[in-house]
Amino acid sequence: MADAQKSDPVSTKQQQIAQLAKRLPQASFTSLNHYLNLTWLLEAFHRTRKDAAPGVDGQTADEYGLHLLENLRGLLDRAKAGTYRAQPVRRVHIPKGSGQETRPLGIPTLEDKILQRAVVMVLEPLYEQDFLDCSYGFRPGRSAHLALEAFWQQAMALGGGWVVEVDIRKFFDTLDHAQLRTLLQQRVRDGVLLCLIGKWLQAGVLEGGELTYSEAGTPQGGVVSPLLANVYLHYVLDVWFGQVVKPCLQGRAFLVRYADDLVMGFACEQDARRVLEVLPKRFGKYGLTLHPEKTRLVRFSRPAGRPTEAETKKQATPGSFDFLGFTHFWSRSKKGNWVIKRQTASSRFRRALGKIVDWCRRNLHEPIREQYRNLQRKLQGHFQYFGIVGNGRSLWCFRDRMKEVWKKWLSRRGGKKGVTWEQLNRLLQELPLARPPGWVTPHGAKR
């Protein structure tokens, strides 16, 4: 531990990296691995989730922590000497979109996670000086809510205009390794760090007892994957859109990207169509393809005139679209003006409710108070993400549907008669469910 205490704090060194990268925006850094020391790896271990599922070796954080400093010293020595070997990631599948499709998730070993976290801690302050304001997702202090707010502000200023929804088909599975190395070397030429990244890219995937390797893709779930994805799309899309596309347009335009989820806004239809036409060629140059059905042009202009009462009641208009789990559409504000509103996308609503149904089914015989505590946490988590201005109706609806689901499964507990609404309401008086923050109950919602 004495060796770890001699070095400067990690945050101070990260500030040094950031200042150097900002001062030399065109430089390629050849010596960054000296930041990796025992203190750095110890901090990386503390930042690594301890309750996450183990990788292919089955090692847990508790086991690794029994001889923590000894294990970290060995990991550091192997990383610096080039004898470190990345383990294959264990692949599982999680629901995607409406839940009918699945998304592959890679689970690295604990030691791989620690070293990946340490490398991210070196590269993140460097690339934060390069990344543009249009980029959100897996960046410090740039959440999905901020991305939504950025889109809302720019779209309102533009009067809606035309929106291009872009869906990159299997982005994390098709990210080209050779292209990624070339893009990384524009800023990073440190042999140790590039070698480590190469080993993680080539580690392979273990699924169903079968080990496979690929020249493309970075597993979702890996600690380093989000940073690599942001670096890739920074050069492929963000810089290209800002420096090449926008100067050639007739009207104003903007881009908002959250990891590989992105939308573009245009004041002119002609600009939007020109960019939509060239996008497949741009992405194809870097080994990426766009989903032909999910990539589309949406007319999102502010409707003419004052909104009528009937138009106000519509939850979505023909020109609506989904972004980051919300459906965006034009509707009337409290002052009677046209404004962009957001509500929970129907696919995300169904998926979230489906998870509640599945949990209630699997935990049917748990004590009622234990069920309540878990459902309360799930409901609060839903409110935390979807609780934005104007989405109160969807939040109350989700709460009501969750109550219906819980009543249904409580009625199936063995040897008992069905639970009535009167019985459930008495229970909820004693164990009240969380309420959406800051909104008046819509007409007809159960309280």
Side-chain angles (χ1 to χ4, degrees):
M1 184 65 73
D3 293 339
Q5 292 176 343
K6 290 181 181 178
S7 302
D8 295 333
V10 170
S11 59
T12 301
K13 291 187 176 182
Q14 288 181 313
Q15 291 175 8
Q16 294 173 358
I17 297 173
Q19 291 169 0
L20 192 59
K22 188 174 183 178
R23 192 167 67 248
L24 302 171
Q26 304 300 324
S28 297
F29 293 89
T30 60
S31 180
L32 291 170
N33 73 85
H34 67 275
Y35 289 102
L36 296 179
N37 56 26
L38 187 58
T39 302
W40 203 272
L41 261 63
L42 190 60
E43 179 64 21
F45 173 80
H46 291 318
R47 296 187 187 186
T48 301
R49 280 186 57 187
K50 310 301 186 296
D51 58 346
V56 294
D57 61 356
Q59 188 173 53
T60 65
D62 290 339
E63 295 170 347
Y64 197 83
L66 293 176
H67 305 284
L68 181 59
L69 293 184
E70 180 181 347
N71 288 332
L72 292 180
R73 284 193 182 95
L75 177 61
L76 180 62
D77 291 342
R78 283 181 281 128
K80 292 292 186 77
T83 57
Y84 161 82
R85 295 185 61 184
Q87 297 296 312
V89 298
R90 181 168 65 88
R91 173 168 287 175
V92 297
H93 292 268
I94 60 175
K96 174 185 178 182
S98 62
Q100 298 178 349
E101 300 180 18
T102 60
R103 184 193 305 273
L105 184 69
I107 304 177
T109 63
L110 177 67
E111 204 162 61
D112 286 338
K113 290 178 184 177
I114 296 170
L115 195 52
Q116 286 185 26
R117 175 64 63 192
V119 170
V120 168
M121 287 161 53
V122 173
L123 296 183
E124 188 174 72
L126 188 159
Y127 279 108
E128 278 300 308
Q129 312 312 309
D130 294 355
F131 290 157
L132 305 181
D133 286 341
C134 63
S135 168
Y136 296 81
F138 308 110
R139 293 183 56 192
R142 299 179 71 82
S143 66
H145 284 181
L146 290 178
L148 289 166
E149 181 64 17
F151 172 83
W152 190 91
Q153 293 285 355
Q154 295 179 87
M156 283 293 295
L158 211 61
W162 295 78
V163 170
V164 174
E165 281 188 274
V166 181
D167 185 279
I168 307 174
R169 176 177 279 175
K170 297 183 177 179
F171 169 71
F172 283 91
D173 295 334
T174 57
L175 188 150
D176 187 86
H177 293 174
Q179 294 276 13
L180 176 60
R181 292 189 186 96
T182 300
L183 296 175
L184 282 170
Q185 288 174 7
Q186 293 190 36
R187 284 296 256 166
V188 179
R189 290 185 177 272
D190 184 293
V192 172
L193 298 188
L194 291 177
C195 181
L196 290 174
I197 292 173
K199 289 181 178 181
W200 291 321
L201 293 175
Q202 298 294 333
V205 174
L206 184 65
E207 182 177 9
E210 182 178 354
L211 181 61
T212 58
Y213 299 90
S214 174
E215 290 300 317
T218 175
Q220 286 181 271
V223 178
V224 76
S225 295
L227 177 63
L228 298 181
N230 273 331
V231 170
Y232 204 81
L233 288 177
H234 168 73
Y235 291 107
V236 173
L237 178 65
D238 302 351
V239 173
W240 171 75
F241 185 81
Q243 298 182 1
V244 179
V245 174
K246 289 180 71 174
C248 299
L249 302 180
Q250 296 178 4
R252 290 183 295 166
F254 66 88
L255 164 69
V256 177
R257 179 177 66 81
Y258 186 91
D260 62 327
D261 292 328
L262 61 114
V263 290
M264 300 174 177
F266 299 88
C268 300
E269 179 184 2
Q270 184 179 358
D271 289 340
R273 293 192 180 278
R274 287 173 58 198
V275 173
L276 183 59
E277 182 180 354
V278 77
L279 269 179
K281 301 175 185 177
R282 175 64 183 180
F283 280 98
K285 180 180 177 181
Y286 291 89
L288 302 174
T289 58
L290 301 182
H291 197 293
E293 297 175 359
K294 297 180 181 180
T295 299
R296 65 189 184 112
L297 178 62
V298 179
R299 183 175 182 176
F300 198 61
S301 301
R302 180 189 290 113
R306 301 275 289 184
T308 64
E309 189 67 27
E311 288 170 326
T312 301
K313 292 180 179 179
K314 291 182 180 179
Q315 291 299 291
T317 58
S320 63
F321 66 95
D322 292 351
F323 179 52
L324 297 181
F326 291 88
T327 299
H328 297 67
F329 59 99
W330 286 97
S331 186
R332 187 172 67 172
S333 69
K334 291 182 179 180
K335 295 182 179 180
N337 300 317
W338 286 112
V339 66
I340 298 173
K341 291 190 176 182
R342 288 89 45 104
Q343 68 177 27
T344 308
S346 58
S347 60
R348 293 291 292 270
F349 188 99
R350 291 193 300 269
R351 185 173 73 182
L353 193 64
K355 290 181 178 180
I356 297 294
V357 172
D358 184 62
W359 188 91
C360 288
R361 178 182 58 81
R362 289 185 291 103
N363 295 272
L364 180 63
H365 301 294
E366 289 289 331
I368 289 180
R369 289 182 178 273
E370 182 63 25
Q371 290 189 33
Y372 164 76
R373 282 192 289 270
N374 279 278
L375 291 174
Q376 179 81 322
R377 285 195 292 269
K378 295 178 186 298
L379 185 60
Q380 290 171 337
H382 185 85
F383 288 168
Q384 184 175 1
Y385 182 76
F386 291 102
I388 65 174
V389 174
N391 196 35
R393 186 184 298 272
S394 292
L395 299 184
W396 280 103
C397 183
F398 184 82
R399 183 178 185 269
D400 291 343
R401 293 295 303 277
M402 194 184 82
K403 286 164 59 177
E404 294 173 2
V405 169
W406 196 24
K407 174 182 177 296
K408 171 185 174 180
W409 287 99
L410 286 177
S411 298
R412 296 190 178 187
R413 289 167 68 91
K416 293 186 178 182
K417 297 181 180 179
V419 174
T420 66
W421 276 112
E422 182 180 356
Q423 291 172 324
L424 181 63
N425 288 333
R426 285 202 302 267
L427 174 64
L428 293 177
Q429 287 180 354
E430 181 183 355
L431 303 173
L433 290 173
R435 300 160 63 89
W439 285 285
V440 179
T441 307
H443 177 71
K446 302 181 182 68
R447 300 190 64 169

mmCIF file of all heavy atoms in Angstrom, residues 26-54:
data_model
loop_
_atom_site.group_PDB
_atom_site.id
_atom_site.type_symbol
_atom_site.label_atom_id
_atom_site.label_comp_id
_atom_site.label_asym_id
_atom_site.label_seq_id
_atom_site.Cartn_x
_atom_site.Cartn_y
_atom_site.Cartn_z
ATOM 1 N N GLN A 26 -3.700 18.386 -32.308
ATOM 2 C CA GLN A 26 -3.350 17.589 -33.487
ATOM 3 C C GLN A 26 -2.293 16.531 -33.188
ATOM 4 O O GLN A 26 -1.892 15.788 -34.086
ATOM 5 C CB GLN A 26 -2.840 18.504 -34.606
ATOM 6 C CG GLN A 26 -3.803 19.610 -35.003
ATOM 7 C CD GLN A 26 -5.123 19.070 -35.512
ATOM 8 O OE1 GLN A 26 -5.163 18.036 -36.177
ATOM 9 N NE2 GLN A 26 -6.215 19.768 -35.202
ATOM 10 N N ALA A 27 -1.831 16.466 -31.944
ATOM 11 C CA ALA A 27 -0.713 15.579 -31.610
ATOM 12 C C ALA A 27 -1.167 14.142 -31.412
ATOM 13 O O ALA A 27 -2.289 13.872 -31.002
ATOM 14 C CB ALA A 27 -0.015 16.083 -30.355
ATOM 15 N N SER A 28 -0.257 13.211 -31.702
ATOM 16 C CA SER A 28 -0.450 11.793 -31.389
ATOM 17 C C SER A 28 0.441 11.456 -30.198
ATOM 18 O O SER A 28 1.660 11.674 -30.254
ATOM 19 C CB SER A 28 -0.071 10.921 -32.589
ATOM 20 O OG SER A 28 -0.917 11.188 -33.684
ATOM 21 N N PHE A 29 -0.123 10.919 -29.146
ATOM 22 C CA PHE A 29 0.615 10.688 -27.908
ATOM 23 C C PHE A 29 1.245 9.300 -27.914
ATOM 24 O O PHE A 29 0.559 8.285 -28.057
ATOM 25 C CB PHE A 29 -0.316 10.854 -26.714
ATOM 26 C CG PHE A 29 -0.795 12.270 -26.536
ATOM 27 C CD1 PHE A 29 -1.953 12.714 -27.159
ATOM 28 C CD2 PHE A 29 -0.083 13.176 -25.767
ATOM 29 C CE1 PHE A 29 -2.385 14.022 -27.023
ATOM 30 C CE2 PHE A 29 -0.507 14.479 -25.625
ATOM 31 C CZ PHE A 29 -1.663 14.905 -26.253
ATOM 32 N N THR A 30 2.545 9.271 -27.754
ATOM 33 C CA THR A 30 3.300 8.014 -27.817
ATOM 34 C C THR A 30 3.627 7.444 -26.451
ATOM 35 O O THR A 30 4.086 6.305 -26.360
ATOM 36 C CB THR A 30 4.601 8.238 -28.592
ATOM 37 O OG1 THR A 30 5.372 9.249 -27.908
ATOM 38 C CG2 THR A 30 4.330 8.684 -30.017
ATOM 39 N N SER A 31 3.444 8.223 -25.396
ATOM 40 C CA SER A 31 3.808 7.753 -24.054
ATOM 41 C C SER A 31 2.703 8.086 -23.053
ATOM 42 O O SER A 31 2.689 9.164 -22.464
ATOM 43 C CB SER A 31 5.134 8.390 -23.612
ATOM 44 O OG SER A 31 5.495 7.937 -22.311
ATOM 45 N N LEU A 32 1.782 7.147 -22.901
ATOM 46 C CA LEU A 32 0.685 7.301 -21.947
ATOM 47 C C LEU A 32 0.654 6.194 -20.909
ATOM 48 O O LEU A 32 0.061 6.350 -19.840
ATOM 49 C CB LEU A 32 -0.657 7.324 -22.694
ATOM 50 C CG LEU A 32 -0.949 8.550 -23.562
ATOM 51 C CD1 LEU A 32 -2.183 8.298 -24.418
ATOM 52 C CD2 LEU A 32 -1.148 9.790 -22.706
ATOM 53 N N ASN A 33 1.297 5.063 -21.209
ATOM 54 C CA ASN A 33 1.177 3.912 -20.319
ATOM 55 C C ASN A 33 1.886 4.118 -18.981
ATOM 56 O O ASN A 33 1.648 3.350 -18.041
ATOM 57 C CB ASN A 33 1.685 2.636 -21.001
ATOM 58 C CG ASN A 33 3.200 2.607 -21.112
ATOM 59 O OD1 ASN A 33 3.912 2.193 -20.187
ATOM 60 N ND2 ASN A 33 3.715 3.055 -22.257
ATOM 61 N N HIS A 34 2.730 5.169 -18.866
ATOM 62 C CA HIS A 34 3.399 5.388 -17.585
ATOM 63 C C HIS A 34 2.398 5.833 -16.512
ATOM 64 O O HIS A 34 2.714 5.793 -15.312
ATOM 65 C CB HIS A 34 4.525 6.425 -17.732
ATOM 66 C CG HIS A 34 4.043 7.801 -18.047
ATOM 67 N ND1 HIS A 34 3.781 8.213 -19.338
ATOM 68 C CD2 HIS A 34 3.763 8.867 -17.249
ATOM 69 C CE1 HIS A 34 3.375 9.465 -19.308
ATOM 70 N NE2 HIS A 34 3.351 9.896 -18.059
ATOM 71 N N TYR A 35 1.197 6.264 -16.940
ATOM 72 C CA TYR A 35 0.170 6.608 -15.952
ATOM 73 C C TYR A 35 -0.375 5.359 -15.262
ATOM 74 O O TYR A 35 -0.939 5.437 -14.164
ATOM 75 C CB TYR A 35 -0.985 7.358 -16.616
ATOM 76 C CG TYR A 35 -0.627 8.760 -17.039
ATOM 77 C CD1 TYR A 35 -0.341 9.057 -18.374
ATOM 78 C CD2 TYR A 35 -0.549 9.799 -16.115
ATOM 79 C CE1 TYR A 35 -0.005 10.339 -18.770
ATOM 80 C CE2 TYR A 35 -0.212 11.089 -16.502
ATOM 81 C CZ TYR A 35 0.055 11.352 -17.833
ATOM 82 O OH TYR A 35 0.393 12.628 -18.215
ATOM 83 N N LEU A 36 -0.236 4.217 -15.921
ATOM 84 C CA LEU A 36 -0.711 2.968 -15.324
ATOM 85 C C LEU A 36 0.267 2.516 -14.244
ATOM 86 O O LEU A 36 1.375 2.091 -14.537
ATOM 87 C CB LEU A 36 -0.833 1.875 -16.395
ATOM 88 C CG LEU A 36 -1.855 2.097 -17.513
ATOM 89 C CD1 LEU A 36 -1.824 0.933 -18.489
ATOM 90 C CD2 LEU A 36 -3.251 2.269 -16.935
ATOM 91 N N ASN A 37 -0.136 2.659 -13.002
ATOM 92 C CA ASN A 37 0.664 2.170 -11.884
ATOM 93 C C ASN A 37 -0.272 1.513 -10.875
ATOM 94 O O ASN A 37 -1.466 1.338 -11.135
ATOM 95 C CB ASN A 37 1.478 3.300 -11.245
ATOM 96 C CG ASN A 37 0.598 4.462 -10.806
ATOM 97 O OD1 ASN A 37 -0.591 4.291 -10.524
ATOM 98 N ND2 ASN A 37 1.170 5.652 -10.737
ATOM 99 N N LEU A 38 0.246 1.148 -9.723
ATOM 100 C CA LEU A 38 -0.571 0.427 -8.748
ATOM 101 C C LEU A 38 -1.725 1.287 -8.243
ATOM 102 O O LEU A 38 -2.850 0.802 -8.070
ATOM 103 C CB LEU A 38 0.302 -0.035 -7.579
ATOM 104 C CG LEU A 38 -0.382 -0.949 -6.558
ATOM 105 C CD1 LEU A 38 -0.927 -2.195 -7.232
ATOM 106 C CD2 LEU A 38 0.585 -1.313 -5.440
ATOM 107 N N THR A 39 -1.462 2.559 -8.021
ATOM 108 C CA THR A 39 -2.530 3.463 -7.580
ATOM 109 C C THR A 39 -3.638 3.531 -8.613
ATOM 110 O O THR A 39 -4.830 3.516 -8.284
ATOM 111 C CB THR A 39 -1.975 4.883 -7.348
ATOM 112 O OG1 THR A 39 -0.934 4.820 -6.385
ATOM 113 C CG2 THR A 39 -3.050 5.820 -6.860
ATOM 114 N N TRP A 40 -3.240 3.603 -9.876
ATOM 115 C CA TRP A 40 -4.200 3.707 -10.978
ATOM 116 C C TRP A 40 -5.088 2.460 -11.035
ATOM 117 O O TRP A 40 -6.313 2.551 -11.167
ATOM 118 C CB TRP A 40 -3.442 3.886 -12.283
ATOM 119 C CG TRP A 40 -4.226 4.519 -13.392
ATOM 120 C CD1 TRP A 40 -5.007 3.890 -14.303
ATOM 121 C CD2 TRP A 40 -4.292 5.917 -13.712
ATOM 122 N NE1 TRP A 40 -5.561 4.794 -15.169
ATOM 123 C CE2 TRP A 40 -5.132 6.048 -14.835
ATOM 124 C CE3 TRP A 40 -3.719 7.065 -13.175
ATOM 125 C CZ2 TRP A 40 -5.422 7.276 -15.427
ATOM 126 C CZ3 TRP A 40 -3.999 8.285 -13.757
ATOM 127 C CH2 TRP A 40 -4.843 8.398 -14.862
ATOM 128 N N LEU A 41 -4.454 1.277 -10.923
ATOM 129 C CA LEU A 41 -5.223 0.034 -10.970
ATOM 130 C C LEU A 41 -6.092 -0.144 -9.733
ATOM 131 O O LEU A 41 -7.184 -0.712 -9.813
ATOM 132 C CB LEU A 41 -4.278 -1.165 -11.128
ATOM 133 C CG LEU A 41 -4.150 -1.696 -12.567
ATOM 134 C CD1 LEU A 41 -3.549 -0.628 -13.477
ATOM 135 C CD2 LEU A 41 -3.321 -2.965 -12.616
ATOM 136 N N LEU A 42 -5.601 0.347 -8.597
ATOM 137 C CA LEU A 42 -6.403 0.262 -7.374
ATOM 138 C C LEU A 42 -7.672 1.112 -7.512
ATOM 139 O O LEU A 42 -8.768 0.685 -7.131
ATOM 140 C CB LEU A 42 -5.574 0.729 -6.182
ATOM 141 C CG LEU A 42 -6.161 0.489 -4.788
ATOM 142 C CD1 LEU A 42 -6.383 -0.996 -4.540
ATOM 143 C CD2 LEU A 42 -5.234 1.079 -3.714
ATOM 144 N N GLU A 43 -7.511 2.294 -8.084
ATOM 145 C CA GLU A 43 -8.681 3.146 -8.327
ATOM 146 C C GLU A 43 -9.614 2.495 -9.349
ATOM 147 O O GLU A 43 -10.840 2.575 -9.222
ATOM 148 C CB GLU A 43 -8.224 4.519 -8.811
ATOM 149 C CG GLU A 43 -9.350 5.487 -9.130
ATOM 150 C CD GLU A 43 -10.195 5.852 -7.926
ATOM 151 O OE1 GLU A 43 -9.710 5.699 -6.777
ATOM 152 O OE2 GLU A 43 -11.352 6.286 -8.125
ATOM 153 N N ALA A 44 -9.033 1.862 -10.372
ATOM 154 C CA ALA A 44 -9.850 1.177 -11.377
ATOM 155 C C ALA A 44 -10.652 0.043 -10.741
ATOM 156 O O ALA A 44 -11.819 -0.171 -11.083
ATOM 157 C CB ALA A 44 -8.960 0.640 -12.494
ATOM 158 N N PHE A 45 -10.045 -0.666 -9.804
ATOM 159 C CA PHE A 45 -10.766 -1.740 -9.104
ATOM 160 C C PHE A 45 -11.930 -1.164 -8.314
ATOM 161 O O PHE A 45 -13.029 -1.716 -8.318
ATOM 162 C CB PHE A 45 -9.803 -2.481 -8.166
ATOM 163 C CG PHE A 45 -10.492 -3.493 -7.289
ATOM 164 C CD1 PHE A 45 -10.839 -4.745 -7.778
ATOM 165 C CD2 PHE A 45 -10.798 -3.198 -5.964
ATOM 166 C CE1 PHE A 45 -11.481 -5.679 -6.974
ATOM 167 C CE2 PHE A 45 -11.432 -4.115 -5.149
ATOM 168 C CZ PHE A 45 -11.776 -5.366 -5.653
ATOM 169 N N HIS A 46 -11.716 -0.048 -7.630
ATOM 170 C CA HIS A 46 -12.785 0.555 -6.833
ATOM 171 C C HIS A 46 -13.930 1.046 -7.714
ATOM 172 O O HIS A 46 -15.084 1.071 -7.281
ATOM 173 C CB HIS A 46 -12.230 1.713 -5.999
ATOM 174 C CG HIS A 46 -11.310 1.270 -4.895
ATOM 175 N ND1 HIS A 46 -11.573 0.172 -4.109
ATOM 176 C CD2 HIS A 46 -10.122 1.779 -4.454
ATOM 177 C CE1 HIS A 46 -10.604 0.018 -3.222
ATOM 178 N NE2 HIS A 46 -9.705 0.973 -3.419
ATOM 179 N N ARG A 47 -13.637 1.450 -8.963
ATOM 180 C CA ARG A 47 -14.669 1.935 -9.874
ATOM 181 C C ARG A 47 -15.381 0.804 -10.611
ATOM 182 O O ARG A 47 -16.332 1.048 -11.337
ATOM 183 C CB ARG A 47 -14.059 2.901 -10.897
ATOM 184 C CG ARG A 47 -13.500 4.172 -10.301
ATOM 185 C CD ARG A 47 -13.078 5.142 -11.395
ATOM 186 N NE ARG A 47 -12.386 6.308 -10.856
ATOM 187 C CZ ARG A 47 -12.016 7.352 -11.588
ATOM 188 N NH1 ARG A 47 -12.282 7.369 -12.892
ATOM 189 N NH2 ARG A 47 -11.373 8.373 -11.033
ATOM 190 N N THR A 48 -14.907 -0.418 -10.434
ATOM 191 C CA THR A 48 -15.503 -1.564 -11.116
ATOM 192 C C THR A 48 -16.634 -2.138 -10.276
ATOM 193 O O THR A 48 -16.486 -2.309 -9.057
ATOM 194 C CB THR A 48 -14.445 -2.653 -11.377
ATOM 195 O OG1 THR A 48 -13.396 -2.115 -12.182
ATOM 196 C CG2 THR A 48 -15.050 -3.853 -12.094
ATOM 197 N N ARG A 49 -17.754 -2.413 -10.917
ATOM 198 C CA ARG A 49 -18.897 -2.976 -10.189
ATOM 199 C C ARG A 49 -18.526 -4.311 -9.561
ATOM 200 O O ARG A 49 -17.976 -5.201 -10.221
ATOM 201 C CB ARG A 49 -20.085 -3.185 -11.131
ATOM 202 C CG ARG A 49 -20.888 -1.939 -11.439
ATOM 203 C CD ARG A 49 -22.109 -2.294 -12.254
ATOM 204 N NE ARG A 49 -22.948 -3.280 -11.573
ATOM 205 C CZ ARG A 49 -24.009 -3.860 -12.121
ATOM 206 N NH1 ARG A 49 -24.332 -3.579 -13.369
ATOM 207 N NH2 ARG A 49 -24.722 -4.720 -11.431
ATOM 208 N N LYS A 50 -18.842 -4.446 -8.275
ATOM 209 C CA LYS A 50 -18.488 -5.675 -7.554
ATOM 210 C C LYS A 50 -19.588 -6.733 -7.612
ATOM 211 O O LYS A 50 -19.335 -7.908 -7.328
ATOM 212 C CB LYS A 50 -18.185 -5.351 -6.077
ATOM 213 C CG LYS A 50 -17.192 -4.207 -5.870
ATOM 214 C CD LYS A 50 -15.857 -4.484 -6.516
ATOM 215 C CE LYS A 50 -14.834 -3.414 -6.194
ATOM 216 N NZ LYS A 50 -15.210 -2.092 -6.729
ATOM 217 N N ASP A 51 -20.820 -6.316 -7.956
ATOM 218 C CA ASP A 51 -21.936 -7.255 -7.976
ATOM 219 C C ASP A 51 -22.274 -7.735 -9.376
ATOM 220 O O ASP A 51 -23.294 -8.406 -9.581
ATOM 221 C CB ASP A 51 -23.182 -6.607 -7.358
ATOM 222 C CG ASP A 51 -23.599 -5.327 -8.076
ATOM 223 O OD1 ASP A 51 -22.802 -4.800 -8.867
ATOM 224 O OD2 ASP A 51 -24.730 -4.870 -7.840
ATOM 225 N N ALA A 52 -21.448 -7.404 -10.366
ATOM 226 C CA ALA A 52 -21.722 -7.806 -11.744
ATOM 227 C C ALA A 52 -21.478 -9.307 -11.916
ATOM 228 O O ALA A 52 -20.748 -9.946 -11.142
ATOM 229 C CB ALA A 52 -20.845 -7.013 -12.709
ATOM 230 N N ALA A 53 -22.085 -9.863 -12.950
ATOM 231 C CA ALA A 53 -21.927 -11.295 -13.229
ATOM 232 C C ALA A 53 -20.473 -11.606 -13.577
ATOM 233 O O ALA A 53 -19.799 -10.805 -14.232
ATOM 234 C CB ALA A 53 -22.840 -11.695 -14.381
ATOM 235 N N PRO A 54 -19.959 -12.750 -13.146
ATOM 236 C CA PRO A 54 -18.565 -13.113 -13.448
ATOM 237 C C PRO A 54 -18.391 -13.503 -14.906
ATOM 238 O O PRO A 54 -19.346 -13.852 -15.601
ATOM 239 C CB PRO A 54 -18.314 -14.295 -12.510
ATOM 240 C CG PRO A 54 -19.669 -14.897 -12.280
ATOM 241 C CD PRO A 54 -20.632 -13.754 -12.305
#
